């Protein structure tokens, strides 16, 4: 069966909606979570919600298995008609899943979908959670079944809705970008003497072989069968560079009782060795087998329960252990549905390389060819984007922090101070000899400017501390938090103080060179912009770098030894403000010291002294 022509058209443009689940530890209740809207094409609010994950997973798994897997198992080789009662139960399940979300999100989500569709676009709906956060288990819920009662439609049935489960801050073992053509290892874990429960129909095996081989051309197709064993798979992976591992076999869900009051369900895949013996493999073990083949970026699991909505499914374990992409089946799927999904999925993947879109096209193919079933909701996509990429601003701040922390940088700073100090001293001496005193330009609203400057470090430190506060341990005392804020405030004050002070030093050098007097108004405005705008930006950059570096060091050291609030930290803040107000203080009390040549001479001596100290300290 070929893919319908409408699926061969160029894919639509997709807007992105990203929601992040986090455990809301503020309430001290493990069942309270936060839904945060990270990116949205239209106004959409998140909020807190309560969920007993174990109970919800058990309930969803029971209904899911009862209405899809169990009912279809006995009619695997024919397309059954979904009874009205079963369809109603699945719709009710989708509605309950929708009401499971925060109320503010429910009220606006359908409007977001409508606004996207009205623009002729699709929606890439990404559900993400951090590795290690208990909220990552929310990714196991069957979000493909989200059902809008008002419209009577399942959200993910349309190929214009891409649902992606994304794990954050787990080490990724392979590159994210996938480029066709792909090389595929196809594992068929079947054995001739298997019990009826573990048999794989020969027709299904043949369909998969032919479909995948045709879809991936001109890529390499390598079947692994008879035996479909772990050892045979590893031998095949060593022969060439492969990008995709496709597994056809059986899976099981086993309940483990780690504690008397706690049972954890874990998924297993069934491999078969040369003697027909079963090799049960978890997602974590499967990932270990792939460690020496970093080119593998995608695992496709056509196995019962490979992506089951359990706490530790094979798919979730694979992405947890570093695999970038996993496409799995949440339950037992009809042979006819599997055929249409595989053909549509691999054909589209080879054309576009967009895995989420290929999964959506595969779902649409199932819905089009077997509309009387709910098999379209079984394929799911998990991704692992790896550790968080720092923004360009953070990277630049970290680079500046490392550079200033390096002993070799002190000599360079010292040389810079020596150069600027020497220029000031030479200019001051020459002006003194010539008995010429350039006129300093008037600075209107000097007092108002001073007040604004005073507010900049305080506002910056408060904003930074507010955004950094989620990383602060909840058990910290008030004095410990006050000590951290003093560090942050001091770093902001010194950063802006140094920046504005050195900007004024350069400004004094420009005036003493009589450059100001020969320029017209336009040229003076340009000169002021060239001097003070970079000074403001550099002050912010330097302050952010120092605040971030000192905060990380403070939090890290607090795990070893609890620091105390010291009044000496206030002197650092005072020193930063003295540097910030130095021109204003001198102009109000000792005006002679802010005008050439006297200003050049004392500034020159100060900078020469600082430069010598920095160079000497480096030695």
């Amino acid at each position: 069966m070929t893919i319908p022509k409408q699926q061969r058209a160029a894919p639509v443009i997709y807007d992105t909606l990203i929601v992040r689940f986090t455990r809301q530890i503020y309430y001290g209740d493990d069942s309270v979570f936060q839904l945060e809207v990270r990116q949205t094409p239209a106004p959409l609010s998140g909020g807190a919600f309560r969920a007993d994950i174990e109970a919800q997973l058990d309930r969803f798994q029971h209904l899911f298995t009862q209405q899809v897997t169990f009912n279809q198992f006995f009619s695997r080789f024919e397309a059954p008609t979904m009874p009205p009662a079963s369809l109603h139960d699945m719709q009710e399940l989708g509605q309950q899943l929708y009401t499971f979300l925060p109320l503010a999100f429910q009220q606006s989500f359908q409007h977001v979908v409508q606004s996207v569709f009205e623009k002729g676009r699709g929606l890439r709906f990404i559900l993400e959670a951090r590795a290690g956060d208990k909220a990552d288990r929310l990714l196991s819920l069957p979000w493909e079944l989200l059902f809008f009662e008002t419209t009577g439609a399942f959200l993910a049935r349309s190929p214009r809705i891409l649902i992606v489960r994304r794990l954050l801050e787990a080490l990724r073992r392979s590159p994210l970008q996938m480029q066709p053509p792909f090389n595929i290892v196809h594992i068929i874990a079947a054995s001739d003497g298997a019990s009826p429960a573990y048999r794989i129909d020969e027709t299904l095996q043949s369909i998969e072989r032919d479909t995948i081989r045709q879809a991936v051309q001109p890529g390499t197709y390598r079947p692994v069968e008879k035996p479909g064993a772990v050892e045979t798979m590893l031998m095949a992976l060593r022969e060439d560079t492969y990008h995709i591992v496709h597994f056809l076999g059986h899976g099981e869900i086993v309940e483990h009782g780690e504690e008397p009051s706690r049972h954890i369900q874990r998924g297993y895949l069934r491999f078969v060795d040369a003697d027909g013996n079963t090799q049960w493999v978890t997602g974590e073990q499967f990932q270990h087998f792939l460690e020496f083949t970093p080119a593998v970026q995608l695992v496709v699991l056509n196995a019962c329960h490979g992506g089951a909505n359990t706490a530790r499914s094979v798919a979730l374990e694979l992405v947890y252990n570093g695999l970038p992409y996993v496409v799995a089946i949440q339950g037992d799927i009809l042979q006819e549905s599997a055929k249409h999904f595989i053909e549509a999925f691999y054909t589209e993947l080879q054309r576009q390389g967009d895995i989420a879109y290929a999964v959506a096209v595969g779902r649409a193919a199932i819905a089009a060819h077997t509309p009387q079933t709910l098999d379209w909701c079984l394929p799911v996509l998990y991704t692992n984007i790896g550790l968080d990429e720092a923004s360009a601003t953070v990277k630049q701040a970290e680079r500046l922090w490392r550079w200033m922390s390096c002993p070799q940088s002190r000599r360079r700073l010292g040389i810079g101070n020596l150069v600027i100090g020497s220029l000031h001293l030479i200019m001051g001496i020459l002006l003194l000899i010539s008995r010429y005193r350039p006129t300093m330009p008037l600075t209107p609203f000097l007092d108002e400017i001073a007040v604004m400057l005073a507010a900049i470090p305080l506002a910056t430190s408060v904003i930074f501390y507010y955004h950094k506060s989620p990383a602060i341990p909840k058990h910290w005392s008030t004095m410990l938090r006050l000590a951290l804020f003093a560090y942050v405030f001091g770093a902001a004050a010194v950063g802006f103080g140094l920046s504005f002070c050195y900007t004024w030093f350069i400004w004094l050098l420009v005036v003493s060179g009589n450059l100001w007097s020969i320029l017209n108004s336009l040229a003076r405005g340009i000169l002021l912009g060239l001097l003070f705008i970079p000074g403001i930006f550099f002050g912010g950059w330097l302050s952010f770098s120092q605040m971030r570096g000192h905060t990380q060091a403070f939090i890290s050291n607090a795990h070893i030894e609890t620091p105390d609030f010291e009044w000496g930290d206030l002197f650092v803040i005072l020193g930063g403000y003295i540097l910030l107000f130095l021109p204003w203080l001198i102009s109000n009390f000792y005006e002679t010291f802010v005008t050439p040549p006297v200003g050049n001479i004392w500034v020159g001596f100060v900078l020469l002294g600082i430069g010598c100290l920095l160079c000497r300290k480096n030695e």
Side-chain angles (χ1 to χ4, degrees), residues 443-458 496 500 576-589:
T443 306
F445 309 110
L446 184 60
D447 294 338
E448 290 80 0
I449 293 175
V451 173
M452 292 177 59
L453 291 178
I456 290 178
L458 178 60
F496 279 106
F500 280 97
Y577 269 94
I578 289 175
L579 292 174
L580 191 65
F581 291 123
L582 188 62
W584 180 82
L585 291 171
I586 297 177
S587 64
N588 278 274
F589 297 100

Side-chain angles (χ1 to χ4, degrees), residues 412-427:
R412 298 170 185 170
L413 291 172
I415 293 174
N417 279 273
L418 290 175
V419 171
I420 300 176
S422 300
L423 291 176
H424 270 285
L425 194 58
I426 293 172
M427 185 65 68

Side-chain angles (χ1 to χ4, degrees), residues 190-429:
S191 58
D192 295 333
S195 62
Y198 294 136
R199 287 176 185 169
I200 302 177
D201 185 68
E202 289 287 346
T203 306
L204 179 60
Q205 298 180 40
S206 177
I207 289 173
E208 278 211 352
R209 289 191 206 97
D210 297 339
T211 302
I212 297 176
R213 184 184 288 109
Q214 294 174 8
V216 301
Q217 292 179 352
T220 300
Y221 172 76
R222 172 69 160 83
V224 174
E225 56 183 331
K226 295 182 180 180
V230 171
E231 296 79 9
T232 315
M233 176 190 69
L234 295 177
M235 290 177 59
L237 289 172
R238 296 190 191 103
E239 295 174 359
D240 202 345
T241 299
Y242 292 96
H243 311 100
I244 301 174
V245 174
H246 183 108
F247 178 86
L248 171 62
H250 286 277
E252 290 287 348
I253 300 295
V254 179
E255 189 171 277
H256 298 274
E258 297 186 354
E259 300 176 9
S261 60
R262 184 182 179 191
H263 297 275
I264 295 180
Q265 292 181 326
R266 192 172 192 181
Y268 290 82
L269 297 177
R270 181 181 181 269
F271 287 76
V272 182
D273 64 15
D275 297 325
N277 298 319
T278 297
Q279 299 173 315
W280 291 111
V281 175
T282 65
E284 183 179 3
Q285 292 172 320
F286 198 177
Q287 175 58 42
H288 291 327
F289 297 147
L290 301 177
E291 284 293 337
F292 297 100
T293 56
V296 175
Q297 298 168 267
L298 168 64
V299 169
V300 181
L301 302 175
N302 187 4
C304 317
H305 312 299
N309 46 317
T310 60
R312 299 184 66 177
S313 68
V314 175
L316 188 58
E317 283 195 344
L318 282 171
V319 295
Y320 229 109
N321 287 276
L323 198 72
Y325 301 100
V326 178
V327 174
I329 306 298
Q330 296 183 91
D332 201 26
I333 191 170
L334 290 174
Q335 171 183 301
E336 186 72 10
S337 301
K339 171 193 172 184
H340 293 305
F341 175 79
I342 291 168
E343 180 181 14
F345 172 76
Y346 278 111
T347 302
E348 188 58 43
L349 184 64
Q350 193 77 318
R351 290 179 60 236
Q352 301 287 341
D354 187 336
I355 300 178
Y357 183 71
V359 172
V361 170
R363 284 201 204 103
I366 295 176
H369 292 91
T370 57
Q372 67 276 29
T373 72
L374 285 172
D375 284 359
W376 59 267
C377 69
L378 296 179
V380 295
L381 171 63
Y382 286 88
T383 68
N384 174 356
I385 64 170
L387 304 178
D388 279 347
E389 284 287 335
S391 63
T393 304
V394 172
K395 290 180 179 178
Q396 293 293 333
E398 290 178 346
R399 188 176 294 113
L400 179 61
W401 170 261
R402 290 193 298 267
W403 186 84
M404 296 191 69
S405 302
C406 180
Q408 290 78 5
S409 64
R410 296 172 185 164
R411 182 175 181 83
R412 298 170 185 170
L413 291 172
I415 293 174
N417 279 273
L418 290 175
V419 171
I420 300 176
S422 300
L423 291 176
H424 270 285
L425 194 58
I426 293 172
M427 185 65 68
I429 292 174

Side-chain angles (χ1 to χ4, degrees), residues 508-585:
L508 181 61
L509 195 62
V510 169
V511 173
S512 61
N514 210 29
L515 181 61
W516 183 263
S517 60
I518 64 176
L519 298 178
N520 59 20
S521 300
L522 178 61
R524 289 177 178 178
I526 295 174
L527 179 61
L528 286 174
L530 292 175
L531 282 176
F532 288 97
I533 293 178
I536 294 173
F537 278 104
F538 181 75
W541 182 32
L542 180 62
S543 297
F544 177 70
S545 171
Q546 296 300 305
M547 288 188 296
R548 193 174 187 279
H550 283 295
T551 300
Q552 289 181 333
F554 187 94
I555 295 177
S556 299
N557 293 335
H559 290 291
I560 303 173
E561 182 180 358
T562 303
D564 298 323
F565 175 78
E566 298 180 2
W567 292 101
D569 296 335
L570 299 181
F571 288 100
V572 177
I573 300 174
L574 180 61
Y577 269 94
I578 289 175
L579 292 174
L580 191 65
F581 291 123
L582 188 62
W584 180 82
L585 291 171

